[in-house]
Amino acid sequence: MADISKVIAAILKDVTEARASADLVSRDLARQYAADDIMKYFTVPKVQVANLQFEIKYAVESVQEIPLQSADAQSKLAQLIKGFTGNLARSLQSSISTNTSGNKLYQLMGSEYPGKEWKANVEELIGDELETVAGAVADNVNGALATAEKNIKTKLASLVPVAKRVESLYVIPNSDGQYEIISFDAKDKFDLKVGDGYDVLEEAVNDAGLVVDAIQKKTAKIETIARNEGKKTDVAQVLIGTRKINVVTSQFANGVIPDKQLFNQLLSRKDKFIPPSKAPWLVGKTLTLATRTSPPRIPGNALITQADDNTLLTKSASLVGEQFKSFKADLEKLKTTTSESKINVQVETQKLKDVDPSKVLTLQFKLDMNDFSLTDENDFTLIN
């Protein structure tokens, strides 16, 4: 493929060299005329060309969009990425905050979650992933974008709280990075708490499983029940094997202290939940030692069911996808304003014979002593 600009330049070069060669001949003749007593009175012959006209047949083979790798273009790209990074981090923070306050499973996270530290670290994570986009060759930008989007969604899985369910108990992350085993009543209010809070997911899962298994097998024994008047709760000490686990409820706070039968009925309901292994979601930073392990299976009871509530993660991943669509559109706009079109043409006579005649175009050059202009076959001026 040839650049038509190079073709035109070659023609102009030949014309200029031809004119220079003619002038050299005229110079030599002038010296001969000057040395001859008679010829010196004659006018020295000199070629005068009023104008030249050239026609070039060509066919367009392809058109390329070439990004300009100028400092200005790179600066605009850096600004676009920085703006997108900040907007995405803020949007994720706002979305998670809205959903934690509106979702019963995550209200223990508190109204301040996620905080400034979480946002700053997530913004850093997004920025690190987008560095590959800034350094990608033009043809690989879309691939780099797809990889960055996938990596961000993957890393969000450890930065966004996930509640887990073991049968009817829920293990829910709280604002201290711990897990609490709780359940809800028919009106979707907290009505039961098992244990005293857990730092490690596996411990919470084990205790939830033990409680559910004991309830289903009717092996849990309520040893004592006491009322906490200040907190308006009743605390039952439940013996499961050799373990003693406290179970707290506010269901009976306005009445008499419940007996063991009432407490057993409360424990026997079938809708409560459980959470993940570490709590990097508190600060928005992946912990290198955090390995996500599956909760242990409760031996001897295959009927116990477990599930994850991925509400926050699903909404966050969806938000990332939406924002990336917008980012891709902005990137395309930037590319059009910081790129140039390159037209590749075919001008070889032999090859043009094989091209559909309707696809062959004509350029005309008109060159005179004072002016050079490029026109198409309809005399429309292209270059002056």
Side-chain angles (χ1 to χ4, degrees):
M1 292 183 288
D3 291 337
I4 201 163
S5 60
K6 293 180 180 177
V7 175
I8 296 172
I11 292 174
L12 293 178
K13 178 175 177 290
D14 288 345
V15 170
T16 302
E17 289 178 349
R19 171 63 188 269
S21 296
D23 286 344
L24 288 174
V25 172
S26 296
R27 179 200 65 186
D28 293 340
L29 287 175
R31 288 173 178 170
Q32 293 178 28
Y33 276 39
D36 190 283
D37 290 338
I38 297 176
M39 294 290 287
K40 65 182 180 182
Y41 297 107
F42 289 77
T43 301
V44 177
K46 184 179 181 181
V47 176
Q48 295 284 346
V49 179
N51 61 71
L52 293 174
Q53 181 168 312
F54 299 91
E55 284 191 353
I56 297 177
K57 299 293 184 181
Y58 71 97
V60 176
E61 287 197 341
S62 64
V63 178
Q64 294 176 287
E65 286 293 325
I66 304 176
L68 298 179
Q69 300 299 322
S70 64
D72 181 58
Q74 290 300 307
S75 174
K76 289 180 179 179
L77 176 60
Q79 290 176 10
L80 179 63
I81 290 176
K82 182 179 180 180
F84 170 73
T85 299
N87 287 336
L88 179 55
R90 281 191 294 274
S91 297
L92 285 169
Q93 182 188 36
S94 176
S95 174
I96 293 172
S97 177
T98 299
N99 283 285
T100 51
S101 62
N103 188 318
K104 293 289 183 180
L105 296 179
Y106 301 99
Q107 286 184 350
L108 286 176
M109 295 299 298
S111 59
E112 300 301 317
Y113 176 80
K116 293 180 180 179
E117 184 182 11
W118 186 94
K119 174 182 167 294
N121 286 325
V122 167
E123 189 169 344
E124 182 179 351
L125 179 155
I126 297 169
D128 289 344
E129 291 299 331
L130 290 177
E131 280 186 3
T132 57
V133 177
V137 178
D139 294 341
N140 295 329
V141 168
N142 289 335
L145 274 175
T147 300
E149 180 179 353
K150 180 181 177 181
N151 289 345
I152 290 170
K153 288 180 177 178
T154 299
K155 291 179 179 179
L156 275 176
S158 63
L159 307 181
V160 177
V162 174
K164 289 179 178 282
R165 177 177 63 81
V166 174
E167 201 63 61
S168 59
L169 291 175
Y170 295 81
V171 178
I172 296 178
N174 64 27
S175 59
D176 296 322
Q178 292 183 315
Y179 309 96
E180 295 187 26
I181 305 175
I182 64 173
S183 70
F184 301 97
D185 62 17
K187 296 181 180 180
D188 205 25
K189 292 182 179 179
F190 297 124
D191 73 329
L192 197 71
K193 178 180 176 182
V194 176
D196 302 310
Y198 298 83
D199 293 321
V200 181
L201 169 65
E202 283 75 9
E203 292 179 3
V205 172
N206 279 331
D207 278 7
L210 285 172
V211 171
V212 172
D213 187 57
I215 289 171
Q216 290 185 356
K217 294 180 177 178
K218 302 184 185 302
T219 58
K221 297 180 181 179
I222 298 176
E223 292 199 325
T224 61
I225 299 175
R227 174 157 293 180
N228 185 321
E229 294 292 353
K231 294 184 177 180
K232 296 187 179 300
T233 58
D234 294 308
V235 183
Q237 190 176 77
V238 181
L239 179 65
I240 302 175
T242 59
R243 289 286 310 282
K244 292 182 180 181
I245 300 176
N246 289 334
V247 178
V248 182
T249 182
S250 58
Q251 281 287 300
F252 313 105
N254 295 322
V256 297
I257 296 177
D259 57 21
K260 294 180 180 180
Q261 182 179 0
L262 276 176
F263 230 105
N264 274 324
Q265 290 176 358
L266 179 64
L267 294 175
S268 298
R269 281 207 334 269
K270 289 192 174 181
D271 25 21
K272 305 179 182 147
F273 241 58
I274 300 213
S277 57
K278 292 279 184 181
W281 30 265
L282 279 180
V283 296
K285 207 161 193 173
T286 303
L287 302 180
T288 55
L289 298 179
T291 54
R292 235 148 133 176
T293 57
S294 300
R297 298 183 63 180
I298 308 303
N301 195 339
L303 298 178
I304 294 178
T305 59
Q306 298 186 31
D308 290 358
D309 178 86
N310 290 302
T311 302
L312 301 185
L313 182 59
T314 300
K315 289 182 179 294
S316 296
S318 176
L319 180 60
V320 170
E322 292 172 5
Q323 296 267 3
F324 260 85
K325 286 181 182 178
S326 176
F327 179 57
K328 289 174 185 176
D330 291 339
L331 193 59
E332 286 299 320
K333 290 179 182 177
L334 179 63
K335 285 168 63 179
T336 59
T337 59
T338 58
S339 64
E340 62 181 7
S341 298
K342 179 181 179 181
I343 301 176
N344 299 303
V345 301
Q346 182 55 257
V347 295
E348 294 182 31
T349 304
Q350 191 61 39
K351 291 185 178 180
L352 287 178
K353 290 180 179 179
D354 299 328
V355 179
D356 182 349
S358 64
K359 302 291 179 64
V360 178
L361 305 174
T362 303
L363 279 180
Q364 292 182 346
F365 294 84
K366 293 181 179 179
L367 181 66
D368 61 31
M369 298 299 291
N370 300 312
D371 181 48
F372 166 71
S373 65
L374 173 63
T375 65
D376 66 7
E377 52 195 338
N378 294 317
D379 286 336
F380 178 81
T381 299
L382 300 178
I383 298 177
N384 282 321

